[in-house]
Amino acid sequence: GAVVSQHPSRVICKSGTSVKIECRSLDFQATTMFWYRQFPKQSLMLMATSNEGSKATYEQGVEKDKFLINHASLTLSTLTVTSAHPEDSSFYICSAAPRQGRIGYTFGSGTRLTVV
Amino acid sequence: AQSVAQPEDQVNVAEGNPLTVKCTYSVSGNPYLFWYVQYPNRGLQFLLKYITGDNLVKGSYGFEAEFNKSQTSFHLKKPSALVSDSALYFCAVRDMNNNAGNMLTFGGGTRLMVKP
C-alpha cells in the first residue's frame, strides 16, 4: 500500500512552453503533498506544500506564478512549470504526507525535465 | 527550525566491508528520523525510520541505523557492503512537535561507492 505515481518520468520541452507533472496517490487519500526539486548531485529542496482544496504554500524564493500547483482532489496534485527555460531543467519529485496515524512518507519516482 | 547534516559527500568502501554513512540532526523537539536511498534518475526509496523505542533500527536490504540522542546522530550502517548498495543516501528529520507541521527536512546526501 501507499503508492505514489508520478508522471511523466522524463520530459523534454522547448523553451517557452509549459509542462505539467502529475502526482497521484494510488491507494490512499493524500490531503497534503510536497513538491521537491533536485539539482544534479544535490539534495532535495522543498518547493511547496500542496493542500487539497486550498492554495499551495511556497517556500521562500520559489516563484508561485512560475510553478503552479493544483491539488484539486485527494488523490491528485499537479505541478505546472510555466514558460519553461533551460534553468528550470531539473529533477522534480513529489511526496505524499503521512496518512492519519502513520509516520512514513511516500515518494513519487521523479520527473526529469529538460528544457531545450 | 529543523536541519540535517550529512558531513560526507562521498563514502568509499570495499565490497564485504562494513559501511557507515553519517547523519546529525537538529530539531526543537523530539525527532522522527528517516533514511532514504536514491538510484540514478529515480525517486527516493524508504530504508528505515526511527520513531521511538529501541535506538537501533533495522531496515531494508540489511541496513540499520542507531539513534543517539546525546550526539543528535542517526548514522546508517551495514555490516557487509554490496556493490549494488552504491547509490545516493539521504537522511531526513521531522519534528514530532505537532506545531512544527509534517514537513521533512533532508540532509545534503552522501554518495556511497562500493568497489568490488
Side-chain angles (χ1 to χ4, degrees):
Chain A
V3 177
V4 171
S5 175
Q6 186 173 343
H7 292 280
S9 58
R10 293 176 181 267
V11 59
I12 301 173
C13 71
K14 291 184 177 180
S15 186
T17 61
S18 295
V19 174
K20 180 184 286 187
I21 303 170
E22 293 189 348
C23 184
R24 293 181 184 272
S25 57
L26 297 186
D27 51 359
F28 67 101
Q29 293 180 333
T31 55
T32 301
M33 287 188 175
F34 303 96
W35 286 96
Y36 296 88
R37 182 174 181 176
Q38 185 181 29
F39 291 101
K41 300 183 180 181
Q42 294 190 28
S43 187
L44 281 71
M45 301 300 297
L46 181 66
M47 298 174 66
T49 302
S50 166
N51 295 297
E52 186 270 335
S54 64
K55 291 183 178 180
T57 302
Y58 290 81
E59 296 300 302
Q60 191 173 8
V62 178
E63 300 175 61
K64 58 183 179 182
D65 294 331
K66 172 77 170 176
F67 299 99
L68 299 179
I69 291 174
N70 184 282
H71 196 154
S73 79
L74 287 171
T75 59
L76 174 64
S77 176
T78 61
L79 168 67
T80 301
V81 182
T82 63
S83 186
H85 290 97
E87 57 265 31
D88 298 326
S89 299
S90 192
F91 193 61
Y92 294 87
I93 305 176
C94 68
S95 169
R99 294 170 287 169
Q100 189 173 8
R102 295 178 179 267
I103 305 299
Y105 297 75
T106 305
F107 287 82
S109 55
T111 298
R112 169 73 61 195
L113 170 63
T114 303
V115 184
V116 298
Chain B
Q2 53 194 43
S3 65
V4 179
Q6 292 179 242
E8 303 152 316
D9 289 338
Q10 182 161 318
V11 169
N12 298 309
V13 64
E15 187 174 31
N17 283 0
L19 68 88
T20 298
V21 182
K22 296 179 180 177
C23 171
T24 58
Y25 66 91
S26 174
V27 294
S28 56
N30 291 315
Y32 293 142
L33 292 155
F34 304 82
W35 274 102
Y36 292 90
V37 59
Q38 185 182 32
Y39 296 96
N41 291 312
R42 302 295 297 274
L44 273 66
Q45 295 180 29
F46 170 79
L47 280 179
L48 51 80
K49 65 179 183 288
Y50 170 81
I51 305 301
T52 186
D54 194 349
N55 289 343
L56 184 62
V57 178
K58 294 186 182 296
S60 307
Y61 313 119
F63 284 93
E64 58 187 32
E66 186 166 11
F67 171 62
N68 188 317
K69 188 172 183 178
S70 63
Q71 297 184 5
T72 61
S73 68
F74 191 57
H75 301 331
L76 181 70
K77 299 182 180 182
K78 187 173 182 179
S80 179
L82 299 173
V83 173
S84 57
D85 292 329
S86 299
L88 192 55
Y89 290 80
F90 290 100
C91 181
V93 69
R94 171 191 159 188
D95 196 325
M96 283 188 194
N97 181 349
N98 289 330
N99 293 328
N102 58 4
M103 186 183 74
L104 271 183
T105 298
F106 286 88
T110 299
R111 185 165 300 280
L112 173 65
M113 297 290 292
V114 182
K115 297 185 178 180

